[in-house]
């Protein structure tokens, strides 16, 4: 029997320090659960039925931040972090690309805690190459080559995220280039981070992330500037990190925190010093 295409991803992610995966389940199993204060919103239902502005305001009121820009990027972080990681890490670590859709990505809302629970993807399919051992699995789509694989995965990601980003943009007034910039930056980081942790080629991971980012932009995403690699200790196996192309504006919500280490507004000399501290004390590293 051909193993589930996502089994390989869960196997390799067990070796990582940081692997925020969504729940993977079936539609029937998800909707057979007792409610227990959890509202199950697909991206399609959340945006089509006006739930996003309500939940955005509730999340911001209960947990902050008060400033609209970091509140908007935080909304993306708590809803899209896991699906972005699943797509990026699966492509890089297993060569298989999960296909997201607005009807199969669920963003559960915990009414008691006024926050989102771990996202879930239901009945997910994966795009694989012809020589993949899972090519005969019923949950796969076989692409002709890697270029088509990246295109299909990127088009699925764009079609899934665009309704959410468009609605968030309209309600929060955060720019779409800022919101899509967060997605594109995170896609790059979620290939680079596993490569660094596993001692693999950071530049090779970055090249694949760049190609995926190019495909997402070709599908319709907009951004001002793409992220860049930042080699701060070239002789060390984990001496390469990156700089975001788009600021997440966390510093506006927490001025005492200042700029993030990967912020494009931070000067490179301060960034290098902070990253070098990570090498001296690995407990500080993400």
């Amino acid at each position: 029997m051909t193993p589930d295409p996502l089994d390989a991803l869960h196997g390799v992610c067990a070796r990582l320090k940081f692997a925020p995966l969504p729940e993977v389940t079936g539609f029937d199993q998800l909707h057979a659960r007792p409610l227990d204060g959890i509202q199950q919103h697909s991206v399609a239902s959340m945006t089509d039925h006006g739930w996003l502005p309500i939940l955005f305001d509730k999340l911001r009121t209960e947990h902050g931040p008060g400033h609209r820009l970091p509140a908007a990027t935080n909304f993306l972080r708590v809803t899209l972090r896991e699906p972005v990681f699943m797509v990026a890490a699966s492509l890089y670590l297993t060569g298989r690309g999960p296909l997201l859709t607005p009807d199969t990505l669920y963003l559960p809302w915990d009414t008691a805690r006024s926050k989102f629970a771990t996202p879930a993807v239901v009945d997910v399919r994966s795009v694989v190459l012809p020589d993949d051992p899972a090519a005969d699995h019923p949950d796969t789509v076989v692409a002709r080559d890697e270029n088509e694989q990246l295109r299909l995965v990127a088009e699925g990601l764009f079609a899934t995220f665009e309704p959410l980003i468009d609605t968030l943009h309209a309600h929060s007034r955060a720019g779409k280039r800022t919101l899509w910039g967060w997605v594109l930056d995170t896609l790059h980081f979620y290939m680079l981070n596993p490569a660094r942790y596993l001692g693999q080629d950071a530049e090779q991971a970055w090249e694949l992330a760049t190609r995926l980012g190019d495909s997402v932009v070709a599908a319709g995403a907009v951004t001002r500037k793409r992220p860049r690699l930042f080699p701060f200790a070239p002789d060390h196996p984990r001496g390469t990190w990156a700089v975001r192309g788009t600021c997440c504006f966390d510093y506006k919500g927490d001025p005492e925190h200042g700029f993030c280490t990967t912020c494009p507004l931070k000067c490179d000399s301060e960034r290098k010093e902070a990253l070098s501290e990570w090498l001296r004390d690995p407990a500080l590293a993400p």
Side-chain angles (χ1 to χ4, degrees):
M1 181 177 179
T2 306
D4 186 287
L6 290 178
D7 285 351
L9 175 63
H10 287 91
V12 71
C13 283
R15 300 162 51 198
L16 300 176
K17 176 182 177 182
F18 177 78
L21 288 169
E23 180 186 2
V24 178
T25 187
F27 180 87
D28 293 339
Q29 289 84 351
L30 182 73
H31 289 279
R33 296 174 182 174
L35 295 178
D36 292 333
I38 302 294
Q39 298 173 348
Q40 296 290 355
H41 296 283
S42 69
V43 169
S45 66
M46 181 180 291
T47 54
D48 289 349
H49 301 300
W51 278 103
L52 189 149
I54 296 169
L55 300 183
F56 174 86
D57 290 347
K58 186 68 172 174
L59 184 71
R60 182 179 174 188
T61 300
E62 294 292 329
H63 306 287
H67 195 288
R68 64 182 178 84
L69 289 176
T73 54
N74 179 64
F75 188 90
L76 296 182
R77 187 179 297 114
V78 299
T79 56
L80 299 184
R81 181 183 71 164
E82 286 84 357
V84 171
F85 182 86
M86 182 177 73
V87 169
S90 183
L91 275 168
Y92 174 63
L93 295 171
T94 73
R96 297 168 180 174
L99 270 179
L100 301 178
T101 74
D103 295 307
T104 57
L105 173 57
Y106 278 76
L107 308 172
W109 176 259
D110 186 328
T111 57
R113 298 163 62 198
S114 295
K115 62 194 306 184
F116 285 97
T118 302
V121 288
V122 301
D123 300 332
V124 62
R125 306 178 76 196
S126 297
V127 185
V128 302
L129 298 177
D131 60 351
D132 192 299
D136 293 332
H137 194 280
D139 292 333
T140 61
V141 174
V142 180
R144 290 190 300 272
D145 53 31
E146 196 174 68
N147 288 333
E148 183 179 51
Q149 181 188 46
L150 292 175
R151 178 180 63 79
L152 292 173
V153 171
E155 288 174 351
L157 185 147
F158 177 80
T160 303
F161 291 0
E162 172 63 9
L164 188 146
I165 286 176
D166 193 50
T167 306
L168 181 59
H169 157 67
H171 181 67
S172 71
R173 294 182 292 117
K176 290 188 75 171
R177 293 180 187 276
T178 294
L179 300 177
W180 272 112
W182 182 91
V183 172
L184 289 162
D185 288 348
T186 306
L187 278 174
H188 283 72
F189 275 65
Y190 284 173
M191 287 194 190
L192 178 61
N193 202 10
R196 291 178 68 253
Y197 189 80
L198 297 172
Q200 297 173 182
D201 189 329
E203 291 189 2
Q204 184 182 47
W206 196 257
E207 190 272 336
L208 179 60
T210 299
R211 291 176 60 203
L212 176 60
D214 289 344
S215 296
V216 176
V217 170
V222 291
T223 189
R224 289 187 181 87
K225 192 174 182 180
R226 298 281 286 275
R228 61 183 170 92
L229 273 182
F230 185 74
F232 62 96
D235 296 331
H236 194 284
R238 296 188 184 178
T240 300
W241 198 226
V243 180
R244 290 179 173 272
T246 304
C247 181
C248 68
F249 299 106
D250 277 359
Y251 76 94
K252 288 184 176 290
D254 183 8
E256 291 186 9
H257 176 267
F259 299 142
C260 302
T261 303
T262 58
C263 181
L265 303 180
K266 193 181 188 76
C267 73
D268 280 350
S269 59
E270 292 181 8
R271 190 188 331 277
K272 183 174 181 179
E273 182 179 343
L275 292 170
S276 297
E277 274 296 312
W278 292 359
L279 295 185
R280 288 190 289 269
D281 184 358
L284 299 175

